[in-house]
C-alpha cells in the first residue's frame, strides 16, 4: 500500500480481499500442493516444496525483509529450494547436482534482486524496508552486485570442474557468466537506472538459460 502505483492496487493492499482470506487461500494452496506431490510423486519432493513456501513467508517476508539489509541474501534460500524439490521429484532422492543448483540460485539471488531494488529504491524507502540501496546507497549496492556476480561465476563453473555437469554445460555457463560479469561491471563503474534494468532483465534470462544448459547437458551425456 505504501510502495506506489506498482503495488497499491493489488487485491489485498487495495482492500478487495481481506488479509485473513488471502492467508487462508495461500495456506490452502500450500496444503493442496503438498497432498498432490505426495500422492503423485514422493514425500521428499512434497516436503521440500512446502518448506520453500514456509521459509519465504515466515522467515523472509515476516522477519528478514524488514529487519536487515541482508534480507535477500538469507531469504534467497527460499527461491533456491525449488531445484531441490524438482530433483527429488524426478529422482526420488537428492544428489550433488541438486546441491549445486541450490547454491547457484542462492548466490544468483542477490545480484538479481539488488538490481531490481536499485530501480525501486524510493518505493522501498517509503515502505521503510531496509533494502541495501535504501540503507547503503546505489554505489555500495553496485559494488555488492559485482562481488556476488564474480562469486556466481565461480559457483556455476565448479560443477563442471568436478565432473557433475559436462562440457555442454561448461561452455554455456562460461558464456552466460561472461555477459553477467560485463553488465555487473558496467553497473559498478557507471551506475544508472538503465544499466540496473538491463542487468535485472538479463539475470532472469541468465538463470533460465543456465538451467536449460543443465537439462541439455544431461540429455547429451
Amino acid at each position: 500500500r505504501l510502495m506506489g502505483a506498482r503495488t497499491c492496487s493489488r487485491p489485498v493492499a487495495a482492500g478487495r480481499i481481506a488479509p485473513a482470506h488471502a492467508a487462508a487461500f495461500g495456506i490452502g494452496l500450500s496444503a493442496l500442493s503438498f497432498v498432490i506431490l505426495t500422492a503423485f510423486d514422493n514425500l521428499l519432493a512434497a516436503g521440500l516444496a512446502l518448506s520453500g513456501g514456509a521459509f519465504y513467508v515466515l522467515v523472509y517476508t515476516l522477519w528478514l525483509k524488514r529487519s536487515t539489509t541482508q534480507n535477500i541474501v538469507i531469504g534467497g534460500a527460499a527461491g533456491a529450494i525449488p531445484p531441490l524439490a524438482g530433483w527429488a521429484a524426478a529422482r526420488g532422492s537428492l544428489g550433488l547436482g541438486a546441491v549445486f543448483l541450490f547454491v547457484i540460485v542462492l548466490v544468483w539471488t542477490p545480484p538479481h534482486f539488488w538490481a531490481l531494488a536499485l530501480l525501486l529504491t524510493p518505493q522501498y524507502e517509503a515502505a521503510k524496508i531496509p533494502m541495501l540501496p535504501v540503507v547503503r546507497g546505489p554505489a555500495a549496492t553496485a559494488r555488492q552486485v559485482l562481488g556476488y556476480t564474480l562469486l556466481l561465476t565461480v559457483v556455476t563453473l565448479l560443477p563442471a570442474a568436478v565432473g557433475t555437469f559436462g562440457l555442454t554445460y561448461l561452455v554455456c555457463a562460461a558464456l552466460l557468466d561472461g555477459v553477467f560479469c560485463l553488465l555487473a561491471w558496467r553497473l559498478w563503474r557507471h551506475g544508472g537506472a538503465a544499466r540496473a534494468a538491463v542487468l535485472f532483465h538479463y539475470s532472469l534470462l541468465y538463470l533460465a538459460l543456465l538451467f536449460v544448459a543443465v537439462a541439455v547437458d544431461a540429455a547429451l551425456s
Side-chain angles (χ1 to χ4, degrees):
R1 193 179 298 133
L2 299 174
M3 289 184 65
R6 193 180 70 90
T7 58
C8 68
S9 62
R10 291 176 181 176
V12 176
R16 296 193 302 277
I17 295 177
H21 293 168
F25 182 62
I27 292 170
L29 286 180
S30 297
L32 180 61
S33 69
F34 179 81
V35 171
I36 291 173
L37 268 173
T38 302
F40 293 97
D41 207 301
N42 61 70
L43 183 60
L44 177 59
L48 286 167
L50 186 64
S51 68
F55 191 94
Y56 184 86
V57 173
L58 300 176
V59 178
Y60 171 67
T61 304
L62 294 181
W63 174 36
L64 294 171
K65 190 172 184 179
R66 292 185 176 275
S67 63
T68 173
T69 58
Q70 298 301 300
N71 47 24
I72 201 63
V73 177
I74 307 168
I81 289 176
L84 298 180
W87 193 286
R91 305 190 66 169
S93 63
L94 296 177
L96 185 58
V99 175
F100 276 129
L101 295 181
F102 173 88
V103 176
I104 286 170
V105 178
L106 185 68
V107 178
W108 164 87
T109 301
H112 158 73
F113 201 92
W114 282 334
L116 176 63
L118 284 167
L119 301 173
L120 301 177
T121 300
Q123 290 93 322
Y124 282 121
E125 191 170 13
K128 294 182 172 56
I129 296 175
M131 289 296 175
L132 191 63
V134 175
V135 178
R136 301 282 300 279
T141 302
R143 188 164 55 249
Q144 290 282 335
V145 166
L146 179 60
Y148 271 95
T149 303
L150 294 173
L151 177 60
L152 178 64
T153 299
V154 175
V155 168
T156 52
L157 296 180
L158 188 58
V162 301
T164 303
F165 302 148
L167 181 61
T168 300
Y169 167 84
L170 175 61
V171 172
C172 293
L175 292 172
L176 291 167
D177 285 327
V179 176
F180 209 150
C181 287
L182 175 62
L183 295 177
W185 180 85
R186 288 176 59 194
L187 177 64
W188 168 71
R189 193 79 174 84
H190 305 289
R195 291 184 178 86
V198 170
L199 179 62
F200 169 70
H201 288 100
Y202 175 76
S203 71
L204 297 170
L205 180 64
Y206 169 92
L207 192 66
L209 292 179
L210 190 72
F211 273 61
V212 168
V214 173
V216 171
D217 185 81
L220 294 177
S221 61

